[in-house]
Amino acid sequence: MLGRTIRYSLSGLAAALILTSCAGAGAGGAAVDADAARAVYVAPGEHDELYAFMSGGFSGNLSVYGLPSGRLLAQIPVFSQYPEKGYGYSEQTRALLETSWGFIPWDDSHHPQLSQTNGEQDGRWLFINGNNTPRLARIDLTTMETDEILELPHSAGSHASPFLTENTEYVVSATRFSVPTPQRDMPIAEYKEGFAGVLTFVKVDPNTGRMSLAFQIKMPGFDYDLSRAGRGPSHGWSFFTTYNSEQASTLKEIGASQADKDYIAAVNWQRAEVCVADGRASTIPARYAHNVVDHATAVASTRMLTSSVMLEAGNCPGMVYFLPTPKSPHGVDIDPSGEHIVAGGKLATVLPVHSFSKMLKAIEDRALDGEIGGIPVLRYEATIGGEVQNPGLGPLHTEFDGNGYAYTSVFLSSEIIKWRLSDYTVVDRVPTYYSIGHLMIPGGDTRKPYGKYVIALNKITKDRYLPTGPELTQSAQLYDITGPTMRLLLDFPTVGEPHYAQAVPASLIKDRQVRTFALSENKDPYATLSEKDVKVTRQGTTVHVYMTAIRSHFMPDNIEGIQVGDSVYFHVTNLEQDWDVPHGFAMLGARNAELLIMPGRTRTLLWVPTRVGVYPFYCTDFCSALHQEMQGYMRVSERGSTVPLQWNTPGN
Ligand code: K7E
Ligand code: CUA
């Protein structure tokens, strides 16, 4: 009787708990405490504390959020055409998407990386990889625009990318898929003999940020998944995870999961520099595009490059070592001190942490376990610092709070674990909703983490948001990490799949935001700096319209004498010199996009009229009370028509 009473009341308590959590947090079910709302509330008119740059995954772009509010502030187009801004459509930006394969309007971006000086964020640039057609992009954080894209030759899936060294000496990239190197027609079954993985070191100019391919390292035909560079004592080294060290060429799901251990490749890039200088590398043919924006004209152009410097891993003793690591590791992350090398062994039962100082000792002591392709394999026991027990199922990525703790995302068991670096002990764990991939602590990959929050970047949201057809939004979750236990504060949706993200204190970049471009410094070859200089010219079937835009008119507004089949280039200069007054330009029937022209800039749209008639163009961005009047007409006549070329300006 007594037992029964207890049982009833226990089940009653359980029911109450379920009801409470349902009522508190919707069908997803996580309880959020009453103070959570206050912790993320940014009052109207106030600014967020941090900028977060979130990878857009297969959208190919980047989105900018404010934290802690989770408000979406901007989308920065990078690898994908973006009609809202005319990016990749306007004549000035198309060249950014050129590759050795031609114009490619899409990619899959994974890892944003903020530039660093002395291992700390310096707020200058952000780099991000294109995974599919291997590319690296650099975004200027004063304009939040893509400034440069460099294609990577001899690479196939630049996933371990772009992980930069602590003074941004290099952005480093490794191929995920090994391929025949150099490329050639060969049987796939001969993978082991003919396929290789290539690591790429791209030099960054410390003043301009401009990238140039310094050298590449040819490695055994494994899959190279992720990377981080050392810092402090481990500065000068880069670490790469590998899987498929079995070198299976088919059915990889099984074939690449056979061995107990794969490897972390530890690469001494300062040693590589010496070998390259000593002539141990060879210059080999390559084809890759380098696209840069000229800052005077704001016009992008492409240069095709034809060679790269390749170093065979086995041809530079002391440059590369393999650290056996269980099992099919995904992320590799280095703690703020530069000593701990954490591998996210996605099929491992423990979370292995190598010690950098033990690694150096193992190299000195020749504590070897054979070699692969001339690369020494160090003994696991000689390099391992410790193993985190009971890390959950499928640990992937680790970030650090700067207070002696590490935070690891765990995919299969959908959780974040917090563990102590000093004794590898798990001290806290929280569920994530659901299937977390990367996680991010502001500055959590630097010498000086900003800490305060950890953000879970989740693959699946199931029931956490209103349903939107067969595809549900991807999602981020914000947790407070200032106390001994992690505390969920907020869910917010993301654009595309958020692989990785980085966040920076707003104070580091907000006062350096460009507000307008000086009209007097506009060196676009088709710029029109004053309304009195507008004109329309014809050379054969090519028509150039030199047009200006200012509240609330285009000059000229009406143009006649255009013929079917002409190539009409609208070169529209925005004469405004006020912050946040872009004008848009859209032409009926243009098989293109709009232009969105920032103050002081010139952008060009190509229109090829296909039918006779009179067609309007108009401003798309609501710029003033008379925005709706910001419009004009194009008169299109038959080819060969005698209608003279004329345009309308006041008093004309
Ligand atoms: Cu783990 Cu592409 Cu960095 Cu996604 S990757 S999760
Ligand atoms: Cu200009 Cu609306």
Side-chain angles (χ1 to χ4, degrees):
M1 192 66 195
L2 186 64
R4 202 185 219 170
T5 315
I6 289 169
R7 214 162 33 237
Y8 281 146
S9 52
L10 274 181
S11 56
L13 181 64
L17 279 174
I18 290 163
L19 281 174
T20 315
S21 63
C22 283
V32 176
D33 63 71
D35 290 337
R38 204 171 307 144
V40 301
Y41 183 66
V42 177
E46 307 262 294
H47 289 171
D48 275 289
E49 177 185 346
L50 297 146
Y51 285 96
F53 297 92
M54 321 265 275
S55 147
F58 46 76
S59 84
N61 292 332
L62 187 73
S63 35
V64 187
Y65 286 78
L67 293 179
S69 72
R71 297 183 294 192
L72 175 63
L73 305 178
Q75 296 249 64
I76 302 177
V78 184
F79 296 110
S80 293
Q81 278 182 308
Y82 195 66
E84 180 188 318
K85 294 184 200 274
Y87 178 86
Y89 294 94
S90 70
E91 297 302 305
Q92 285 85 353
T93 56
R94 284 181 60 85
L96 280 167
L97 301 180
E98 284 296 337
T99 73
S100 64
W101 308 90
F103 181 82
I104 296 188
W106 169 86
D107 216 304
D108 175 22
S109 54
H110 283 224
H111 306 116
Q113 278 271 284
L114 291 159
S115 56
Q116 297 181 13
T117 301
N118 283 326
E120 294 177 35
Q121 296 175 332
D122 60 23
R124 302 213 281 167
W125 308 299
L126 182 138
F127 298 87
I128 189 165
N129 61 325
N131 199 33
N132 182 53
T133 303
R135 288 178 274 180
L136 292 177
R138 183 174 52 80
I139 286 110
D140 182 330
L141 290 179
T142 66
T143 57
M144 305 257 177
E145 291 180 336
T146 301
D147 202 36
E148 178 178 16
I149 294 182
L150 175 69
E151 190 181 357
L152 301 174
H154 309 301
S155 194
S158 67
H159 189 259
S161 176
F163 292 100
L164 46 88
T165 57
E166 74 169 354
N167 291 298
T168 319
E169 294 94 339
Y170 291 102
V171 285
V172 183
S173 175
T175 191
R176 171 150 146 238
F177 311 109
S178 280
V179 287
T181 309
Q183 272 291 6
R184 60 193 176 279
D185 174 12
M186 65 170 284
I188 298 167
E190 290 166 21
Y191 181 105
K192 277 190 189 174
E193 297 78 48
F195 285 40
V198 167
L199 317 178
T200 304
F201 288 77
V202 171
K203 194 99 199 137
V204 178
D205 184 294
N207 298 312
T208 62
R210 283 282 149 88
M211 299 185 282
S212 56
L213 204 165
F215 58 88
Q216 300 190 293
I217 300 174
K218 189 171 170 185
M219 299 280 287
F222 304 161
D223 287 50
Y224 295 83
D225 207 9
L226 280 154
S227 175
R228 287 287 188 188
R231 63 177 65 93
S234 52
H235 179 63
W237 292 77
S238 279
F239 304 90
F240 302 84
T241 48
T242 71
Y243 63 99
N244 193 27
S245 56
E246 299 87 345
Q247 296 187 274
S249 63
T250 177
L251 304 175
K252 294 214 181 179
E253 203 179 349
I254 303 159
S257 308
Q258 298 299 307
D260 279 349
K261 293 192 175 69
D262 294 276
Y263 303 100
I264 284 177
V267 177
N268 184 332
W269 52 261
Q270 291 178 333
R271 174 79 191 125
E273 287 173 334
V274 171
C275 284
V276 171
D278 286 353
R280 286 172 182 260
S282 40
T283 300
I284 62 167
R287 276 176 77 187
Y288 60 107
H290 188 195
N291 311 321
V292 300
V293 175
D294 179 304
H295 287 180
T297 59
V299 177
S301 63
T302 298
R303 208 155 57 100
M304 285 295 169
L305 298 161
T306 54
S307 68
S308 73
V309 173
M310 186 71 80
L311 195 52
E312 298 274 342
N315 202 10
C316 177
M319 177 176 67
V320 188
Y321 297 90
F322 280 133
L323 281 58
T325 301
K327 175 180 182 174
S328 298
H330 184 57
V332 54
D333 296 285
I334 314 299
D335 83 305
S337 77
E339 162 67 9
H340 299 283
I341 306 161
V342 184
K346 60 187 190 266
L347 301 178
T349 53
V350 296
L351 187 65
V353 185
H354 294 285
S355 147
F356 179 73
S357 51
K358 287 183 78 173
M359 183 194 96
L360 289 186
K361 178 116 190 355
I363 292 170
E364 200 183 305
D365 295 349
R366 309 287 302 158
L368 301 184
D369 195 2
E371 62 157 60
I372 300 168
I375 299 169
V377 178
L378 300 173
R379 283 196 302 106
Y380 181 69
E381 300 72 27
T383 63
I384 197 76
E387 294 172 338
V388 180
Q389 301 297 322
N390 193 15
L393 300 173
L396 295 183
H397 299 283
T398 301
E399 297 252 312
F400 307 89
D401 66 3
N403 296 317
Y405 294 96
Y407 298 72
T408 299
S409 59
V410 192
F411 177 77
L412 284 175
S413 49
S414 288
E415 58 184 331
I416 298 174
I417 59 163
K418 173 182 178 181
W419 53 276
R420 208 161 33 225
L421 285 161
S422 57
D423 62 3
Y424 313 100
T425 304
V426 175
V427 298
D428 188 29
R429 56 204 322 149
V430 286
T432 60
Y433 305 95
Y434 301 85
S435 299
I436 181 174
H438 275 271
L439 79 179
M440 180 269 285
I441 292 174
D445 69 327
T446 70
R447 277 196 199 209
K448 279 219 182 101
Y450 183 79
K452 200 159 172 180
Y453 304 107
V454 65
I455 291 144
L457 300 158
N458 301 334
K459 308 295 183 193
I460 295 169
T461 56
K462 287 184 185 167
D463 47 11
R464 307 260 320 161
Y465 296 91
L466 285 175
T468 50
E471 192 196 15
L472 304 182
T473 183
Q474 279 90 10
S475 165
Q477 294 188 288
L478 183 77
Y479 297 80
D480 180 328
I481 57 168
T482 54
T485 57
M486 292 174 273
R487 192 172 140 238
L488 177 62
L489 299 178
L490 180 72
D491 282 19
F492 60 99
T494 64
V495 181
E497 181 181 338
H499 283 270
Y500 188 41
Q502 295 230 298
V504 61
S507 56
L508 197 59
I509 59 176
K510 78 169 186 207
D511 296 332
R512 290 166 40 204
Q513 295 305 299
V514 167
R515 299 182 170 200
T516 60
F517 299 98
L519 196 57
S520 56
E521 288 165 23
N522 180 335
K523 296 284 182 293
D524 185 292
Y526 296 97
T528 309
L529 302 187
S530 143
E531 290 192 342
K532 67 177 183 349
D533 297 328
V534 303
K535 62 182 176 189
V536 183
T537 64
R538 173 185 283 284
Q539 290 135 355
T541 58
T542 300
V543 176
H544 290 281
V545 178
Y546 296 78
M547 184 180 271
T548 60
I550 195 163
R551 281 163 288 179
S552 299
H553 56 270
F554 292 108
M555 187 85 74
D557 63 352
N558 292 337
I559 299 172
E560 302 192 8
I562 303 300
Q563 298 178 11
V564 168
D566 280 343
S567 294
V568 180
Y569 290 92
F570 292 100
H571 307 288
V572 187
T573 301
N574 181 348
L575 300 179
E576 306 280 356
Q577 292 286 268
D578 287 338
W579 195 14
D580 198 26
V581 192
H583 290 288
F585 178 87
M587 179 70 230
L588 194 159
R591 288 194 269 183
N592 211 322
E594 69 163 349
L595 297 173
L596 191 65
I597 313 141
M598 297 304 135
R601 275 255 175 95
T602 304
R603 297 281 101 159
T604 299
L605 183 84
L606 171 62
W607 171 56
V608 181
T610 55
R611 303 178 206 165
V612 299
V614 178
Y615 302 105
F617 56 84
Y618 72 102
C619 172
T620 52
D621 189 325
F622 210 108
C623 49
S624 75
L626 297 176
H627 155 82
Q628 289 297 77
E629 283 71 13
M630 197 163 173
Q631 56 178 271
Y633 287 104
M634 301 296 285
R635 175 180 169 191
V636 182
S637 307
E638 285 296 359
R639 171 129 312 281
S641 145
T642 56
V643 176
L645 192 62
Q646 54 189 329
W647 58 95
N648 190 51
T649 54
N652 165 17

